[in-house]
Each structure stands twice: as C-alpha cells, then as structure tokens.
Amino acid sequence: MSGLLGARTCSSPGEVSDIKSPLGTKLREPLTEARFQQLFGGTEQEQELLAEPRWSGLCRLWKRPARACSGPGVWRLLQARLPPLRWLPHYRWRTWLLGDAVAGVTVGIVHVPQGMAFALLTSVPPVFGLYTSFFPVLIYTLLGTGRHLSTGTFAILSLMTGSAVERLVPEPLAGNLSEIEREQLDAQRVGAAAALAFGSGALMLGMFVLQLGVLSTFLSEPVVKALTSGAALHVLVSQLPSLLGLPLPRQIGCFALFKTLAAVLTALPRSSPAELTISALSLALLIPVKELNVRFRDRLPTPIPGEIVMVLLASVLCFTSSLDTRYNVQIVGLLPGGFPQPLLPNLADLPRILDDTLPIALVTFAVSASLASIYADKYSYTIDSNQELLAHGASNLISSLFSCFPNSATLATTSLLVDAGGNTQLAGLFSCIVVLSVMLWLGPFFYYLPKAVLACINISSMRQMFFQMQELPQLWRISRIDFAVWMVTWVAAVTLSVDLGLAVGVIFSMMTVVCRTQRVQCVALGLAKGTELYRPLKESHKLLQVPGLCILSFPTPLYFGTRGQFRRNLEWHLGLGRGKETPKIHGPPGAVAEPVRVVVLDCSGVTFADAAGAKEVVQLASRCQDAGIHLLLAQCNGESLTARDTDPGRTPGQSDPRAAV
C-alpha cells in the first residue's frame, strides 16, 4: 500500500496533489488488480494451466495414481506408511540402542501394574490391561511417527470407556453373583470395551482416509489440559471405594462425581480397616517416589520404579499374612497365561456405542497428537498428523480383536521414557518384551496383589494432570480468554462428564474465536514520516494525512457475522449514516476537517469473504458513489476478489469498487 500515497490516489479525478512522497520516490498511478496481473502475473505454466479445458485437469488427477504405482512411488508410499523404513537405516546403534533398551524396559515395568490398574478403571479384569499394554504398543512402533511417544493404557480413556461399559452392561441390582455369573458379566463387559476400541479405531481410520489430521488444531491446549485435569479428578473420586474397601456400584452420567462422593460419605462407616491401611501405606510410598523422580530426574540414571516395588511388597505381604482370607481383602487373582484368542467384537453393538466412540476417538487423537508435537518440537523432528491417525486407528482396531480396550499415548509413561533416555520407537519393542514375559510366565506372581494397590497406582499416576492447574496464574496474565476456555472446560468436565466437557470446551473455544472477530474495529491509518509504514492515527498525532484521502483497515474476515460491524465502522468513519450528509476525515485535534474524496480500504487482513460480505462491499461502493467518494480496495487476496466479482446480488451497472495494489 506504500504506493497509494500519490497524486491520483489522494485527489479527485482531474486534480494533482502537491504532497511530496516522504521517500522522494517518483509517484505512480494506482494499479488495479487486472493491470497488476497483466504486468506481474503468474508464470507461463500457470497461465497454460488456466487456459486448459477442465477435462485436462481431471486427466492429471487420474495420472497421479499411475505415478504412485511406479517403483519410486511405491517406495515413497511404503516409507510414508511404515516409518521404520525411514528411520531404521539411519539408526545409531552404538549411541541409541542402550538408551532405548533401558527406557523400554523401564516403561515396560511400569506398564504391568498400570495396565492392570487401568483395567479395573475400565471395569474389565486386570489381565486385559496387560493385553492393552502389549498389542497397541507393538502396532504403534511399526506405524507411529512420534519417536518419544509411549502408548498403551491411559487413565482418561479408561474412565470414559468404563462409564460406557457400565451403562451398556450394568451389574445386576441383586448383587452377590456366583462365580459363573461373574465370568459371564466380565465377558460381556470385555466385549463391550473391545467394541468401543473397534469403533474408535474405525473412526480414526476413516479420518485418516479423509486426511482429517488438521482437526487436531481445533482442540486447543487449554481445552486438552483442562479436560485431562478434570478427568483426573473423576479418576480420583472413582477410586475412593476401592481405597476404602467399599463395594459400591459405579456412578455414571452427569454429576457422577458428586453422586460417588455422596455414596462414599454415606457408606464410610462400613469401610475396611485392612484395605484402608494398605491404601495409606501404598500412597505413602508412591507419592514420595514420584516426587523424587521429578526433582532428581537429571541425577538419577533411571527413574525409581515405585509401582513395581509397591506391587511386589503388597503381594508378599498379602500372601504371608493371608489378608484375602482373614480380612476379606480384594485381590487380583489368577491371570490367564498366554495370548487371548482373536475374536471379532459384536458389530451389532456399534450403533449403540457410536455416541461413545466419537469422544473417545477425539480424545485419543488430541492427547496423542499434542504429546507427539511437544516432543517433536523439543527434539527437532516432524510428525505426520495423518499418519498418527493411521497408527492410533490401527492400534485400536487391530488390538480390539484381542479383547483390548481403547488406548492412546500416555502422559506419564511418555515422560518416563524420555527421562530414561529413550530415543526412537525401538524402545516400544523392549517394553513389549517385558509385558510379554508377564503374560506368558510371570502372571501367577500377581495372584495375591490387592486391588487397593492398583487404585493407589491409578491415583498416583494422575499427579502430572493435577499439577496442570499451577499454570492458571500464568495463563491469566497471558490471555484472559484462554483462561476462560480452561475454566469452562474444567467445570463442565467435573460437573457433567468427560464427554460433555470435551464438547463444551470445543464449542466454547470456537465461540471465543467468533467473538474475537466481532470485536475488531476498523481503524484509520496514517503514514509515518520518512518511512512507508502506515499506523493507526490514534497511536500518534505525528502521522501524515493527505487532505481528502482516508485510509482504513479492517483486519478480520468479512463474512455474515462481521458484515454488520463492517457497515457500522465504515459509516462512522465516512459519515455515511443517517443525518450525516457530508463525510469528514479524522485528523489531529484542532485541524480543519476536509471532506473525504478518496477512500482506500486496506483488505490485507480480510483473509476471506463470503457472499454476504461481498454484497456489503458492493453496497458500500454504491453509497460512496452517491456521496461523491471514490473507493479503492488495497491488498485484496484472490478469494476476496472472487467473492466480490461473483456476488449474486450485484446488478449490471452497479458501482464497482476498484481493487488497487
């Protein structure tokens, strides 16, 4: 827009201004968009493409699959879909192998107790947590692009899945189930959880086919952090009955957190002293160990495996003291050895669980993509969001055939893998070896493990999510709107449910974006002397103005939601409202106002314009023409020009705003 301050830009037709350019450059005529394209248009190749008939473009689209079927094309496709083909040939065996092995074994050791703990949160037997800590990790190692990402069981997804499972397969009100009835109930719940994993995996694969990886951008960081923090509170409250040894039914639906608290307080006199003691001792060990791992992460060669130590101590104590028979302490029991039999989930349940699979798929992708992006930025590599959809979709869908429940990347184990020295996806293979050894040989050692210890592991794993609330004061100072998004999402997740909290957070965050476009003001610009910089006149009284010329900027998209704001701003600046016959230009205090003869509208901030916005511009041009004002549009992008030129409400002979550069 620097060339707009010229003779015929600031004066009416037929006049020449005596204002000299601050840079002493030669004044030029304003260029219309058509003249600019004629002088500085695209390359000859682009012009040829524009001149081609439409069927030629379709032919080029048909030729793309043919090029992909060539030898180099197939190899590039394989490298894109199987990332190990890219990074494995460049693997630094001497430098990275030891770190990946130590990190993988460390994460695998943590996967064992956490997997069993999150299985109870999902309302399925503990052994299925081991399956979910093995098959998805193996699949992601082959398909994922996050080098430092650790996948497996995740407390938030386990909570969401458990709520859906309890609703789909409720426990009989009579209670006191026989062993056979309990096995049948567990089998039905395992099938429902596997169906949820199958459905969410299928949704993510569908999103991959449609290349919808960009959807991750709509889940902002405040929404994701508030959602996980609110869900962590749900996890804490849901584990209170297990901590206290209270056989209470699980509360589901809205206000489940408060219903659970009320039920726990009512049944508190019936709590088990033995399980309460076990829970207190477990938390007394797990929480300090977590703090030590965080504070001395740079000094420790590898994090202290507090979970596995607690599991071993509690199992030995329960076995030697016969806590299960003497004090009726709930234990894990026998873990079936070997692999589960492949079984296709009941597809007839998919229509019933569709409203559950969608939020599970969105949370899976949002958490995994955000974690992968954080560590990719930290270690200077890139991830493919669409490939991440494929990896997590395949992980959930294929693992559901082995009775696994929904899974994703996990915050705690990812941080643990990085702290332990993990470098690539190869660490996932070492983690799988540890879990596999438990599945095949070491399962009987966990027979006497108290379930209260697993509940304590669930709670201690939420530490990082609870501490996210410490960021709120800083968020308040940086952006009050982001703070509001965080609080609204958190309150909705806590009071309603995690699913509804996600929906409320996304909708509210999108509403804040729309509201921000409504608050943008059209500002008058002036030229800073000796430069080509145009700044708002309200910032300084030393900015230069040309008599009769008004330069305005509207820095927001022009669509149906902002057309009213656009109209009111232009009417106020140009005096086109009712009762204002003579437009006046804004100037320094005390300056003599001169009627506006030329208006330059800087459209560089108008990233797009719809039909309503284009119609508003055409009507503005007509009103300016009636008022004797010459309207020029500067820095219009291609989409805005197309919308203006194809406005259906524009009639032949109607005033045409000239596009200038």
Side-chain angles (χ1 to χ4, degrees):
M1 205 171 65
S2 59
L4 284 171
L5 189 63
R8 292 179 175 83
T9 305
C10 58
S11 304
S12 60
E15 297 181 2
V16 177
S17 173
D18 56 354
I19 300 294
K20 295 184 179 181
S21 170
L23 299 178
T25 57
K26 184 178 179 181
L27 302 180
R28 65 165 176 83
E29 294 281 349
L31 295 176
T32 63
E33 182 67 23
R35 179 59 176 165
F36 180 85
Q37 291 296 333
Q38 182 180 1
L39 295 176
F40 310 102
T43 62
E44 295 181 359
Q45 182 179 1
E46 292 177 349
Q47 295 176 358
E48 291 176 0
L49 291 177
L50 292 175
E52 281 184 352
R54 184 168 297 180
W55 62 268
S56 299
L58 295 176
C59 290
R60 289 196 309 275
L61 293 178
W62 283 104
K63 290 178 182 179
R64 289 181 182 176
R67 290 195 298 268
C69 292
S70 62
V74 171
W75 179 244
R76 286 194 298 269
L77 181 62
L78 285 176
Q79 285 184 320
R81 298 296 166 252
L82 293 174
L85 296 178
R86 289 202 311 267
W87 59 262
L88 197 56
H90 305 286
Y91 189 83
R92 303 175 186 175
W93 294 95
R94 295 184 178 180
T95 307
W96 291 347
L97 183 59
L98 181 59
D100 283 340
V102 172
V105 171
T106 304
V107 171
I109 291 174
V110 174
H111 266 316
V112 172
Q114 272 196 4
M116 292 190 291
F118 293 160
L120 296 181
L121 197 60
T122 316
S123 299
V124 297
V127 68
F128 294 95
L130 296 180
Y131 301 154
T132 310
S133 300
F134 175 77
F135 292 103
V137 177
L138 185 62
I139 296 170
Y140 184 83
T141 301
L142 299 176
L143 299 177
T145 58
R147 298 180 186 175
H148 300 85
L149 211 62
S150 174
T151 59
T153 56
F154 183 39
I156 308 304
L157 288 182
S158 297
L159 178 70
M160 298 171 68
T161 305
S163 299
V165 168
E166 292 279 351
R167 191 187 72 252
L168 295 171
V169 189
E171 188 167 349
L173 296 177
N176 297 324
L177 300 178
S178 64
E179 185 175 350
I180 297 178
E181 291 174 337
R182 173 61 63 182
E183 290 179 357
Q184 292 175 349
L185 179 66
D186 288 341
Q188 293 177 358
R189 290 184 169 181
V190 169
L196 287 168
F198 185 93
S200 60
L203 281 177
M204 283 186 282
L205 289 179
M207 294 166 64
F208 162 73
V209 172
L210 298 176
Q211 299 290 287
L212 296 180
V214 69
L215 288 180
S216 62
T217 59
F218 292 99
L219 294 170
S220 63
E221 184 177 345
V223 171
V224 174
K225 289 189 174 182
L227 183 71
T228 54
S229 181
L233 191 57
H234 276 278
V235 173
L236 171 63
V237 174
S238 67
Q239 295 303 293
L240 290 179
S242 298
L243 292 179
L244 302 174
L246 297 174
L248 298 177
R250 185 168 183 170
Q251 303 291 336
I252 59 175
C254 295
F255 310 107
L257 185 144
F258 304 103
K259 295 177 183 177
T260 303
L261 283 176
V264 169
L265 292 176
T266 303
L268 194 59
R270 304 196 307 267
S271 59
S272 170
E275 298 201 57
L276 181 59
T277 303
I278 293 174
S279 301
L281 293 176
S282 300
L283 291 175
L285 174 66
L286 291 173
I287 294 178
V289 168
K290 291 279 186 182
E291 291 295 328
L292 289 175
N293 286 334
V294 172
R295 293 192 178 187
F296 301 100
R297 65 174 60 185
D298 297 331
R299 301 181 185 180
L300 293 173
T302 182
I304 303 172
E307 290 88 349
I308 198 66
V309 172
M310 189 66 247
V311 165
L312 294 177
L313 291 177
S315 299
V316 172
L317 177 63
C318 185
F319 172 73
T320 56
S321 304
S322 301
L323 298 179
D324 56 325
T325 56
R326 295 174 59 184
Y327 300 101
N328 198 25
V329 172
Q330 297 295 316
I331 60 175
V332 169
L334 181 64
L335 296 178
F339 289 96
Q341 183 180 359
L343 181 65
L344 184 67
N346 188 6
L347 300 182
D349 292 336
L350 291 181
R352 290 197 303 154
I353 63 175
L354 183 61
D355 55 341
D356 296 302
T357 56
L358 181 59
I360 288 175
L362 291 178
V363 171
T364 298
F365 180 56
V367 173
S368 303
S370 60
L371 265 180
S373 299
I374 289 172
Y375 286 100
D377 294 340
K378 183 177 181 179
Y379 292 97
S380 302
Y381 63 89
T382 59
I383 63 166
D384 185 349
S385 58
N386 288 308
Q387 180 65 20
E388 289 296 297
L389 276 174
L390 173 62
H392 292 288
S395 297
N396 280 272
L397 190 142
I398 297 176
S399 64
S400 69
L401 305 179
F402 298 94
S403 302
C404 297
F405 49 85
N407 55 87
S408 72
T410 63
L411 302 175
T413 55
T414 297
S415 177
L416 180 64
L417 185 143
V418 174
D419 293 340
N423 298 289
T424 66
Q425 296 94 317
L426 195 62
L429 292 181
F430 293 98
S431 174
C432 289
I433 293 174
V434 175
V435 179
L436 180 62
S437 63
V438 175
M439 291 168 51
L440 297 180
W441 304 295
L442 303 180
F445 290 97
F446 299 95
Y447 183 92
Y448 289 98
L449 175 62
K451 290 185 178 180
V453 175
L454 298 180
C456 294
I457 293 175
N458 279 333
I459 293 175
S460 64
S461 65
M462 298 291 102
R463 173 195 173 279
Q464 189 174 359
M465 300 181 195
F466 284 128
F467 276 87
Q468 290 179 147
M469 302 190 72
Q470 293 180 338
E471 302 175 5
L472 286 178
Q474 182 181 6
L475 192 62
W476 171 265
R477 292 190 296 268
I478 296 175
S479 174
R480 305 288 174 86
I481 294 180
D482 286 346
F483 179 87
V485 170
W486 204 105
M487 291 303 301
V488 168
T489 305
W490 187 84
V491 170
V494 170
T495 57
L496 301 178
S497 65
V498 178
D499 303 356
L500 293 178
L502 174 64
V504 170
V506 172
I507 293 174
F508 185 76
S509 63
M510 298 303 295
M511 287 177 58
T512 60
V513 175
V514 175
C515 291
R516 291 186 199 190
T517 63
Q518 303 291 321
R519 297 173 58 186
V520 173
Q521 298 292 327
C522 185
V523 295
L525 304 180
L527 180 65
K529 185 176 181 181
T531 69
E532 289 188 339
L533 301 178
Y534 287 83
R535 304 294 297 173
L537 290 175
K538 61 183 180 181
E539 293 184 0
S540 174
H541 65 279
K542 297 181 180 180
L543 296 175
L544 299 180
Q545 285 184 274
V546 177
L549 171 65
C550 182
I551 303 176
L552 302 175
S553 176
F554 189 69
T556 190
L558 184 56
Y559 64 103
F560 66 92
T562 58
R563 60 176 298 187
Q565 183 78 358
F566 175 78
R567 183 192 313 119
R568 289 189 294 270
N569 275 270
L570 268 295
E571 287 177 350
W572 187 83
H573 280 283
L574 302 180
L576 297 178
R578 295 181 180 179
K580 297 182 180 180
E581 300 178 355
T582 305
K584 302 292 184 180
I585 189 170
H586 300 277
V592 179
E594 183 175 335
V596 178
R597 293 171 303 204
V598 178
V599 176
V600 177
L601 183 59
D602 177 18
C603 300
S604 58
V606 182
T607 54
F608 70 89
D610 64 356
K615 185 176 181 180
E616 195 66 41
V617 174
V618 173
Q619 292 176 352
L620 172 66
S622 178
R623 297 178 65 184
C624 286
Q625 186 180 33
D626 295 340
I629 301 174
H630 189 53
L631 175 64
L632 294 174
L633 306 181
Q635 300 293 336
C636 290
N637 60 32
E639 185 175 349
S640 301
L641 286 174
T642 302
R644 179 183 64 87
D645 295 336
T646 58
D647 173 29
R650 185 174 166 188
T651 58
Q654 191 171 1
S655 177
D656 177 28
R658 303 296 301 275
V661 294

